[in-house]
Amino acid sequence: MFRVRKSIKRFREDPAWTYQKSARDYLATFEQDGYPFSLGPRGNIIRNLFQGTVQGRPASLFHQMARTPGGASVGSDETWVDYSVAVVALRRALPATAFTSGRFVRETKSGELPAIPVSAGPAQDVPGGGPLDAVRRQSIDVDFAVLIDTKPVHRLTREAGIGWRIDGDRIIGWGRLHKPFDEVQTIAETLIAIVDAFPERAWQWPARTG
């Protein structure tokens, strides 16, 4: 926790970043039934929102508290689960697609919680087999997901141990726990590397964003 507080102080002192302690208005820009917000079916809170740029791309970094049913103690009916989240702007809107590291099987209840908002359109699992199953892939446009379903994208997702999804003209990445903000920035850098690994044809793909 000391490292987290220290990183917040350091980022707040950096003029390249704007800071909000809480960000209810920013939270409202996301549909609550897509990852990582659907992981808090009883509500979400954003804390420590930093907005600036990462590698020249508009980015937001924040901590999320997701309220879920059940608790650690007998008689408790809810608990809070912590995530670190990065959001990076894309050059254009792309079909809603989610790649989720196998590390999050427990959090996502093996897919019971929706990865992609209903408003984006009906989502399907992307078929596949072998070692690629370490990452669950879903999309409203399976052909698009297959196009970007490359070895570099899988490797980056698995090695970082994150989940991510395309939300219109932005990509959202999330990892477990409230991490120091240099580590949250690393999530943003991983998202940029993932996007840079998309085939160029992805950027000419017909948009289906709901």
Side-chain angles (χ1 to χ4, degrees):
M1 185 59 70
F2 172 75
R3 290 181 59 234
V4 172
R5 289 197 299 267
K6 188 175 180 180
S7 74
I8 292 171
K9 182 176 184 295
R10 186 170 67 253
F11 272 67
R12 289 189 67 175
E13 292 172 348
D14 185 341
W17 295 96
T18 63
Y19 175 74
Q20 291 178 257
K21 176 65 176 177
S22 60
R24 192 172 297 176
D25 290 347
Y26 182 71
L27 176 62
T29 69
F30 299 94
E31 295 287 354
Q32 299 295 292
D33 57 342
Y35 289 164
F37 307 103
S38 58
L39 305 181
R42 293 193 175 182
N44 296 280
I45 295 174
I46 285 179
R47 289 284 186 264
N48 303 315
L49 170 66
F50 288 96
Q51 294 182 291
T53 61
V54 175
Q55 297 179 8
R57 309 190 196 193
S60 299
L61 316 175
F62 56 88
H63 290 148
Q64 174 197 355
M65 298 171 63
R67 189 164 60 187
T68 65
S73 59
V74 175
S76 176
D77 64 353
E78 65 182 32
T79 189
W80 291 93
V81 183
D82 297 336
Y83 298 101
S84 294
V85 185
V87 181
V88 177
L90 300 176
R91 61 171 110 159
R92 53 152 288 196
L94 294 173
T97 301
F99 278 41
T100 310
S101 168
R103 182 177 299 184
F104 294 109
V105 169
R106 181 177 178 182
E107 277 88 342
T108 62
K109 300 185 184 298
S110 299
E112 291 177 18
L113 298 171
I116 294 172
V118 173
S119 60
Q124 303 176 57
D125 284 326
V126 178
L132 298 188
D133 282 343
V135 176
R136 186 181 188 205
R137 297 140 287 157
Q138 298 167 289
S139 182
I140 64 167
D141 188 332
V142 170
D143 290 338
F144 173 79
V146 169
L147 174 68
I148 65 171
D149 189 18
T150 64
K151 288 183 178 179
V153 168
H154 268 277
R155 177 181 55 80
L156 288 162
T157 304
R158 288 197 309 268
E159 290 180 356
I162 62 172
W164 58 267
R165 73 173 172 93
I166 294 169
D167 180 47
D169 61 355
R170 56 190 176 182
I171 184 171
I172 308 165
W174 51 282
R176 193 74 159 80
L177 305 177
H178 286 176
K179 301 178 184 296
F181 273 90
D182 52 343
E183 295 183 23
V184 186
Q185 182 172 330
T186 297
I187 295 176
E189 292 166 352
T190 298
L191 296 178
I192 291 170
I194 286 170
V195 170
D196 286 347
F198 289 178
E200 186 58 32
R201 192 157 65 92
W203 302 104
Q204 283 77 51
W205 202 267
R208 283 187 59 202
T209 57

